[in-house]
Amino acid sequence: MALVYLNTLAHGRSGDKGDTSNVCVYARDPKDYPLLKRVLTAERVKEYFGDMVRGEVIRYEVETLHGFNFVMKHALGGGATHSLRLDSLGKSMGSAFMRMKIDTDDPSGT
Amino acid sequence: MKTIRIGGGQGFWGDSPDAAIHMVRAGDIQYLACDYLAELTLSIMQRQKLKNPKAGFASDFTQLIREIGKEAYEKKIRILSNAGGMNIQGAVDALRSIAEGQNMRGYKIGYVTGDDLLEKLPELLREGRTFPNMDDVGDFDEIKDKIVNVNVYYGREPLMDCLREGADLVITGRATDSALFLAPLAYEFGWGDKDLDDLARGIMVGHLLECGGQGAGGNFDYDWRSVPAMDNLGFPIAEVTEDDLHITKAPGCGGLISEQSVKEQFLYEVHDPANYITPDVTVDISRATIVNDGDNSVRIGGVRGKEKPEKLKMCIGYHAGYKVATYLPFAWPDAYEKARYAAEILMKKMKRKNLRYEDIRIDYLGLNALHLDVAEYDEELIKRLNEVVLRIAIRVKDKEEAKKLIPEISPLQLNGPPGASFFGGRSQIQDVIGLWPALIDRDLVTLTSHMLEVK
């Protein structure tokens, strides 16, 4: 089993709209896109963030860019000024996402 | 073939002016567009205007024009910005005074009014219009007496009217960030409502440039070490022809335009890539392509457009209470354990004071204040922490509640666990402005373009 941080395989950026955080994620190498597609399911991402993301997680795929957009609702503690988080705009949601551990050998992604 | 080069001069209110100045001097651009409005900015501007009728716009912009306005005028570089915020007239007066002071005779300042619906709202409500929250949360009746600002996001058309009238500078309130970029392109290339793919391409120009440095190697996750001269970061420039789009940057500055740097901005704050909604056009980038096309040049393809939405989005800001964040650092050894104990002391004291809060957060800076529960809580790591800052933040309805927490922090240096070091002075209580996104019929909004010529 080869367990790696997601940031060894992918890169991305997070943004905010109200209480919704979006993280775009791209394969560093296009050959890893199928693996990322298997393992980075919306369910897995929702489970990973736990109490940090209280609403649904939607995954959009952009095959031509070997990337995804993850839209996570109720993910910023109320959003903008409502939020009591130090990072109220969720600028660090992207790096939080990138520390997810990925099993590069597991074809099922579980 | 006609080529338009347009630069993105500002990513937000408070951004560095250096790249915009460099673009005007060395970027060979015909247009410079500067975005100053984030989601929350109008509410902040409105509060400033209530305190001072001359405030309420992005004064950074007038400062920028003071520095490069005349040079841009002489080079025929036209400038567009939404820096007018909540006080267009105040911004126009300031700009006119700068232009007169620099003897810029004939300088034409175009401006747009009509996005501010605060005064019109009661009438709309009396007519029976409703404004349910687009995120399906909350009850409008609970916020209607606390509203601070009401602004509609609008598209390219009133800006194009100003350009047609010969404006050297166009200043707006809540025009969308992307309209600042689409307007000059649609004007130059004669794109109309039916040219959906072209309009969509123009929106993507705006989307890629509206965050300034983020489009050119700033905040670059792929490999930030490879970005040249971040101290002199250039901002992106779009090179647009009738049927093509390239992103590049000015010569003689730092930054990086690559497939990866453009990609990171491409889906940023876009939700569904097949339906990126703007007042001008619904953009489909679900099959878009991004390829390196030379030194610091990237070509964008496959951007498609669909019909624009029927309604416009508006943003209602309302007063939603107060918040305060307090900080107390602890030093090695056992910094985390000591900070936790201090938090317990504070919570016991607050319980005795009967603190009533809406929400509370207890964080440990250096451990989990950014990544929260996703952070690593390895016992060895926690034991080794050189220092950790205890942060307690509360959100309250009543200002008096917030006042209870603040004076309890500094005494813990002498009355709590060892190694505490108070810094930064007492915390300030902040107003909380809530944002209420809603939709409004287009025909209820009247946007008007104006022109002022400097004598």
Side-chain angles (χ1 to χ4, degrees), chain A residues 56-78:
Chain A
E56 67 173 322
V57 174
I58 307 167
R59 179 179 93 169
Y60 297 100
E61 294 162 26
V62 183
E63 290 266 358
T64 46
L65 303 181
H66 309 110
F68 311 89
N69 207 17
F70 289 89
V71 176
M72 309 188 284
K73 298 187 176 172
H74 302 293
L76 296 172

Side-chain angles (χ1 to χ4, degrees), chain A residues 5 26 28 48 64 69 81, chain B residues 222 263-264 270 288 374 376 433:
Chain A
Y5 283 117
Y26 300 96
R28 286 178 182 270
Y48 169 75
T64 46
N69 207 17
T81 55
Chain B
Y222 179 74
K263 263 183 175 177
E264 286 190 18
V270 165
V374 176
E376 273 181 28
I433 305 292

Side-chain angles (χ1 to χ4, degrees), chain B residues 228-276:
Chain B
M230 265 197 213
D231 61 298
N232 189 26
L233 194 79
F235 286 6
I237 291 172
E239 209 169 73
V240 189
T241 64
E242 190 61 60
D243 54 10
D244 218 349
L245 165 58
H246 290 81
I247 304 295
T248 181
K249 69 182 184 73
C253 59
L256 177 74
I257 304 289
S258 69
E259 177 197 334
Q260 288 83 9
S261 74
V262 173
K263 263 183 175 177
E264 286 190 18
Q265 183 61 18
F266 205 70
L267 293 176
Y268 171 80
E269 292 180 353
V270 165
H271 286 181
D272 177 357
N275 294 288
Y276 177 44

Side-chain angles (χ1 to χ4, degrees), chain B residues 9-10 12-17 20-21 24 32-37 45 57-69 72 78-85 87-88 90-92 94-96 98 107 109-111 168-172 180:
Chain B
Q10 288 282 287
F12 65 103
W13 186 16
D15 204 353
S16 165
I21 294 167
V24 167
L32 176 73
C34 297
D35 171 32
Y36 286 88
L37 302 182
M45 287 172 160
F57 61 89
S59 50
D60 290 14
F61 180 64
T62 45
Q63 188 54 41
L64 179 68
I65 296 303
R66 193 186 300 280
E67 195 148 353
I68 47 122
R78 304 171 90 177
I79 300 175
L80 299 96
S81 177
N82 53 13
N87 189 357
I88 302 273
V92 169
L95 290 167
R96 176 172 59 184
I98 290 165
Y107 192 63
I109 301 169
Y111 58 103
D168 297 293
L169 182 150
V170 180
I171 185 159
T172 74
L180 302 171

Side-chain angles (χ1 to χ4, degrees), chain A residues 5 10-18 20 22 24 26-28 48-49 51-52 60-66 68-69 71 74 77 80-87 91-92 95-96 98-99 101, chain B residues 39-40 137 214 218-219 221-222 260 263-273 285-290 318 320 323 327 359-361 369-372 374-376 391 393-395 432-434:
Chain A
Y5 283 117
H11 66 109
R13 175 174 293 165
S14 50
D16 75 296
K17 259 197 180 62
T20 302
N22 98 280
C24 52
Y26 300 96
R28 286 178 182 270
Y48 169 75
F49 277 106
D51 193 46
M52 204 166 166
Y60 297 100
E61 294 162 26
V62 183
E63 290 266 358
T64 46
L65 303 181
H66 309 110
F68 311 89
N69 207 17
V71 176
H74 302 293
T81 55
H82 255 100
S83 180
L84 292 181
R85 290 189 195 166
L86 186 70
D87 180 18
K91 291 283 177 197
S92 68
S95 58
M98 291 298 159
R99 71 188 303 164
K101 287 205 172 108
Chain B
E39 254 193 332
L40 188 71
V137 288
Q214 268 199 172
N219 188 20
D221 184 43
Y222 179 74
Q260 288 83 9
K263 263 183 175 177
E264 286 190 18
Q265 183 61 18
F266 205 70
L267 293 176
Y268 171 80
E269 292 180 353
V270 165
H271 286 181
D272 177 357
I285 47 172
S286 62
R287 287 159 295 162
T289 55
I290 300 174
Y318 63 96
K323 71 175 177 180
Y327 299 87
D359 196 7
I360 187 163
R361 269 212 73 79
L370 293 177
H371 283 180
L372 313 190
V374 176
E376 273 181 28
R391 173 181 183 269
I394 54 172
R395 183 156 57 80
V432 174
I433 305 292

